[in-house]
């Protein structure tokens, strides 16, 4: 029998009634008062100190979590969906937060620093091709995620969708893959921030690396202790700085390439594409760039994860998702095109681009132009970008860990959410792992950097592939259960074909990474030990995902969810209804042509 979208006001009650069966809570009342728990008069009688300590108490609606095992010992996917839908995460993010997270949230070391390694390995043409293809992949993925997240703005987002629309075992593997990927990114980015400071005074900064690590780690943890509002405001500021910097560099890059620099070198044009050339290491060099490009785009999916903590995802999320196209086109493709024109791939300063801001092609381009002082400003932007990604790492890992606990796929303690809507234990756990960044003061910091990057390198690729496949399965279930596309609040502009394209491109990236990991471009000059080490640094995430999936599937005997059995009701926000969508569609038909075009792309 086809499911129908519940009428206005009924979705929350349904979700909490379902969740109450497994948690022991009463499902007869609205959850809103339970998020804060105490009468207003009692809260007002408390001192500020008492209110601060009281805010760390467990949200009353979360007395129990994680009991998702059915009577036959099998995994209960319906109960898991109800648990994520009933999460008391704070819903305070506004449209401006989501837009800046979408536009500048993942602009970090992958673009500003990691692109130097890509340029050195593959050349400017390979750099442009790889980032363009990964950009297409990311665009299709975010469109698919936006369609599902607007309809189901539940805790865990894409990881919950894998459990709901694919297989609970695959959802478990994807959840832990994503969580672990972000957990290791925090010490990696804090370590990178400490290394970035070496730019100004290598001797002094290296001596006090541990001090810089402590300062940066404290700042990131403090931001996240202010909850999602703190994360949103910090990312809003960080993203503005990064966006302004990239736009400024694009303008400067055009001027420099046309010969307008102060050094008097004259017109550059496409000279570096001719000598030393457009490609380095041939097709294998191109394949080597793919994973670096995927790492650079990592974090784009956070806009979907934040939907569960957005005041009005129906309005805010579609706008944020559409802007991803412009971020890819302007901030990545244009800036990297200019990098390839201004910096030759054989520049010796590009060597070691994964660990040093001195090897940033953005900084090298400015230095080559002879513009004094501007390279230091660019380095400040790189430092801010590094801290921004570190900030996102605590947010992303803590929310996924809490959602995994809700679904019975992580220790229950990670599902502890306090009265301010913060997944407190998950934040504390992610912050604790951040102290691995003190490796920056050791002699093994470069080795540690490479192995931490190996764990997180493919994490985004697996996540994006799962999002695309989950969207394909969701559309099949939507049709099988008697729904039409007109009922969807937001439809992916790329459609199901775009999701298939995104899935194929993700598989292609994994294949290319396996090949280049097994047989790197300079394999003839490497020892057997170096080849083995290179392979596992390139492909370490794959065996971890496989082990999680097979182990969980055998233990819980999970099955692939069939289209007719997928739950398409749990988690709908209370204002979703077919009638509401029809009213909006009628309003859109009355818009002038310019507004239709603008809203289609923005």
């Amino acid at each position: 029998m086809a499911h129908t979208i519940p009428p206005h006001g009924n979705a929350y009650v349904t979700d909490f009634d379902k969740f109450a069966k497994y948690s022991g809570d009463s499902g007869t009342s609205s959850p809103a008062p339970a998020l804060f728990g105490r009468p207003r008069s009692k809260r007002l009688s408390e001192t500020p100190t008492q209110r601060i300590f009281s805010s760390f108490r467990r949200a009353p609606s979360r007395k129990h979590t994680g009991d998702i095992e059915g009577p036959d010992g099998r995994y209960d996917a319906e109960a898991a969906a109800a648990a994520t839908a009933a999460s008391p995460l704070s819903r305070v993010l506004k449209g401006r937060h989501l837009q800046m997270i979408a536009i500048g949230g993942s602009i970090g070391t992958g673009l500003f620093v990691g692109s130097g390694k890509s340029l050195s390995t593959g050349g400017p043409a390979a750099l442009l091709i790889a980032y363009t293809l990964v950009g297409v992949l990311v665009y299709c993925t975010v469109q698919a995620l936006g369609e599902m997240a607007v309809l189901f703005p539940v805790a865990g987002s894409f990881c919950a969708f894998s459990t709901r629309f694919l297989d609970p075992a695959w959802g478990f593997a994807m959840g832990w893959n994503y969580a672990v990927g972000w957990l290791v990114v925090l010490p990696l980015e804090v370590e990178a921030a400490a290394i970035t400071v070496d730019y100004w005074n290598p001797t002094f900064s290296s001596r006090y690396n541990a001090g810089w690590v402590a300062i940066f780690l404290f700042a990131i943890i403090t931001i996240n202790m202010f909850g999602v509002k703190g994360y949103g405001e910090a990312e809003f500021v960080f993203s503005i700085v990064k966006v302004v910097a990239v736009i400024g560099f694009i303008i400067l890059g055009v001027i420099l390439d046309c010969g307008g620099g102060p050094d008097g070198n004259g017109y550059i044009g496409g000279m570096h594409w001719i000598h030393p050339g457009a490609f380095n290491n041939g097709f294998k060099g191109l394949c080597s760039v793919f994973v670096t490009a995927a790492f650079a785009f990592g974090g784009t999916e956070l806009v979907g994860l934040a939907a569960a903590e957005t005041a009005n995802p129906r309005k805010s999320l579609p706008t944020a998702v559409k802007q991803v196209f412009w971020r890819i086109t302007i901030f990545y493709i244009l800036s990297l095109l200019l990098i390839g024109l201004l910096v030759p791939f054989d520049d010796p300063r590009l060597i070691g681009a994964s660990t040093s801001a001195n090897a940033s092609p953005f900084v090298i381009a400015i230095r080559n132009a002879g513009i004094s002082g501007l390279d230091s400003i660019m380095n400040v932007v790189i430092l801010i970008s590094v801290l921004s990604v570190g900030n996102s790492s605590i947010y992303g890992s803590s929310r996924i860990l809490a959602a995994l606990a809700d679904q019975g796929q992580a220790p229950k303690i990670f599902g502890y959410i306090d009265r301010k809507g913060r997944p407190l234990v998950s934040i504390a756990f992610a912050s604790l792992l951040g102290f691995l960044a003190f490796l920056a003061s050791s002699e093994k910091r470069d080795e540690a950097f490479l192995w931490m990057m190996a764990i997180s390198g493919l994490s985004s690729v697996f996540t994006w592939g799962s999002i695309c496949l989950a969207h394909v399965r969701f559309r099949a279930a939507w049709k099988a259960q008697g729904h039409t596309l007109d009922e969807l609040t937001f439809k992916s502009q790329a459609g199901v074909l775009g999701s298939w394209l995104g899935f194929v491109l993700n598989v292609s990236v994994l294949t290319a990474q396996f090949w280049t990991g097994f047989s790197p471009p300079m394999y003839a000059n490497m020892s057997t030990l170096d080849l083995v080490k290179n392979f596992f640094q390139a492909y370490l995430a794959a065996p971890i995902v496989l082990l999680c999936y097979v182990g969980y599937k055998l233990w819980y005997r999970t099955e692939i969810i069939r289209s007719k059995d997928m739950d398409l009701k749990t988690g709908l926000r209370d204002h979703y209804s077919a009638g509401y969508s029809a009213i909006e569609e009628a309003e859109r038909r009355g818009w002038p042509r310019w507004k239709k075009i603008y809203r289609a792309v923005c």
Side-chain angles (χ1 to χ4, degrees):
M1 180 178 178
H3 293 299
T4 56
I5 299 177
H8 178 83
N10 287 349
Y12 277 137
V13 176
T14 300
D15 295 340
F16 270 82
D17 283 342
K18 287 182 181 180
F19 185 63
K21 180 173 66 173
Y22 301 90
S23 67
D25 291 342
S26 172
T28 58
S29 61
S30 172
L35 295 181
F36 302 98
R38 295 160 296 145
R40 178 177 174 82
S41 58
K42 185 174 181 180
R43 295 199 303 269
L44 292 175
S45 65
E46 292 180 340
T47 64
T49 303
Q50 288 175 323
R51 284 199 294 271
I52 291 174
F53 281 101
S54 179
S55 71
F56 292 105
R57 295 177 183 170
R58 186 191 291 268
S61 61
R62 304 298 282 175
K63 292 179 182 178
H64 304 282
T65 186
D67 299 322
I68 313 295
E69 190 172 306
D72 59 351
R74 292 176 179 267
Y75 188 84
D76 192 333
E78 183 179 351
T84 55
S87 175
L89 292 171
S90 179
R91 292 165 178 163
V92 296
L93 285 180
K94 299 178 181 178
R96 64 182 177 89
H97 297 128
L98 274 189
Q99 289 172 26
M100 293 313 295
I101 290 172
I103 293 175
S106 65
I107 297 177
T109 52
L111 174 63
F112 290 126
V113 181
S115 58
K117 179 183 178 182
S118 298
L119 179 61
S120 175
T121 302
L127 179 72
L128 200 59
I129 293 170
Y131 274 78
T132 300
L133 288 176
V134 175
V136 172
L137 180 162
V138 169
Y139 171 75
C140 294
T141 301
V142 174
Q143 286 287 323
L145 176 60
E147 180 176 303
M148 294 185 291
V150 170
L151 196 63
F152 304 105
V154 298
S157 188
F158 39 84
C159 293
F161 297 151
S162 292
T163 296
R164 192 170 187 168
F165 302 132
L166 297 175
D167 182 346
W170 188 249
F172 171 81
M174 286 300 95
W176 277 104
N177 162 70
Y178 192 77
V180 170
W182 273 125
L183 287 170
V184 300
V185 161
L186 176 60
L188 188 150
E189 294 298 328
V190 173
E191 179 186 350
I195 296 172
T196 301
V197 180
D198 292 351
Y199 180 84
W200 290 287
N201 193 329
T203 303
F204 177 83
S205 298
S206 298
R207 186 181 304 170
Y208 297 102
N209 249 328
W212 289 115
V213 166
I215 292 171
F216 296 142
L217 193 58
F218 175 78
I220 292 172
I221 294 173
T222 300
I223 289 171
N224 278 272
M225 287 307 298
F226 281 97
V228 69
K229 191 65 180 281
Y231 165 76
E233 293 295 351
E235 283 305 303
F236 182 77
V237 175
F238 290 156
S239 295
I240 287 177
V241 173
K242 292 185 286 186
V243 166
V244 170
V246 173
I247 292 175
F249 178 82
I250 290 172
I251 295 172
L252 175 65
V254 172
I255 294 173
L256 295 178
D257 192 60
C258 292
D263 58 355
N265 287 336
Y267 178 75
I268 299 174
M271 177 177 64
H272 297 315
W273 282 58
I274 300 172
H275 180 77
F279 291 95
N280 189 27
N281 297 313
F283 182 68
K284 189 172 288 188
L286 171 64
C287 292
S288 298
V289 177
F290 273 119
V291 170
T292 309
F295 182 80
F297 280 103
T300 307
E301 68 287 338
L302 283 172
V303 69
L305 190 62
E309 297 179 85
T310 302
N312 187 359
R314 183 188 186 105
K315 179 181 178 182
S316 304
L317 193 55
T319 302
V321 166
K322 292 172 187 175
Q323 290 176 348
V324 169
F325 171 80
W326 300 108
R327 192 199 74 192
I328 293 171
T329 304
I330 297 175
F331 303 130
Y332 279 89
I333 306 305
L334 283 183
S335 62
L336 292 175
L337 172 62
L338 289 167
I339 284 297
L341 293 173
L342 296 173
V343 181
F345 71 73
D346 60 353
D347 191 308
R349 290 169 293 182
L350 291 174
I351 304 300
S354 61
T355 58
S356 175
N358 286 290
S360 166
F362 289 79
V363 173
I364 292 173
I366 293 171
R367 280 181 168 179
N368 288 347
I371 304 175
S372 60
L374 194 56
D375 55 335
S376 289
I377 295 176
M378 197 67 210
N379 203 59
V380 171
V381 174
I382 293 173
L383 180 59
I384 290 173
S385 301
V386 169
L387 295 177
S388 172
V389 177
N391 183 41
S392 295
S393 70
I394 291 186
Y395 176 79
S397 60
S398 64
R399 269 56 181 183
I400 290 296
L401 285 173
L404 286 170
D406 287 345
Q407 299 175 95
Q409 296 174 334
K412 293 181 181 181
I413 190 63
F414 287 132
Y416 185 103
I417 297 178
D418 67 13
R419 297 177 186 271
K420 292 294 185 181
R422 297 170 295 198
L424 208 57
V425 174
S426 296
I427 290 175
F429 180 70
S431 302
L432 187 63
L433 289 184
F435 285 89
L436 290 174
F438 282 100
L439 290 170
S441 60
S442 74
E443 296 179 356
K444 298 291 185 180
R445 73 181 188 182
D446 290 347
E447 191 77 10
F449 188 101
L450 289 173
W451 281 109
M452 282 189 273
M453 193 170 182
I455 296 174
S456 64
L458 290 176
S459 174
S460 294
V461 181
F462 278 109
T463 299
W464 296 339
S466 297
I467 291 171
C468 292
L469 193 57
H471 180 247
V472 172
R473 298 290 298 132
F474 160 72
R475 280 289 189 93
W478 193 255
K479 181 179 179 180
Q481 296 185 25
H483 294 293
T484 65
L485 295 183
D486 292 335
E487 295 177 66
L488 293 174
T489 305
F490 170 73
K491 293 184 284 291
S492 167
Q493 293 176 332
V496 175
L497 289 178
S499 293
W500 275 118
L501 175 62
F503 180 74
V504 170
L505 287 174
N506 274 289
V507 173
S508 300
V509 171
L510 291 174
T511 304
Q513 180 66 356
F514 181 87
W515 180 42
T516 57
F518 181 78
S519 177
M522 303 299 292
Y523 74 95
N525 300 324
M526 300 172 68
S527 65
T528 302
L529 179 62
D530 288 337
L531 286 171
V532 172
K533 185 177 177 181
N534 180 80
F535 176 77
F536 280 103
Q537 285 180 343
Y539 226 71
L540 186 60
I544 295 176
V545 168
L546 187 62
L547 182 64
C548 289
Y549 175 67
V550 174
Y552 196 86
K553 193 168 187 66
L554 292 176
W555 184 266
Y556 282 99
R557 296 169 292 163
T558 63
E559 297 178 353
I560 296 174
I561 309 295
R562 300 178 67 180
S563 298
K564 67 182 182 63
D565 297 327
M566 291 181 190
D567 182 1
L568 298 181
K569 293 195 298 184
T570 304
L572 294 169
R573 283 282 175 96
D574 58 348
H575 54 266
Y576 289 92
S577 69
Y580 199 101
S581 298
I583 293 172
E584 287 186 330
E585 183 62 30
E587 181 184 348
R588 283 192 288 267
R589 282 198 292 267
W591 288 347
R593 184 182 297 274
W594 69 266
K595 189 173 183 179
K596 290 179 180 179
I597 296 174
Y598 173 78
R599 293 300 295 269
V601 297
C602 294

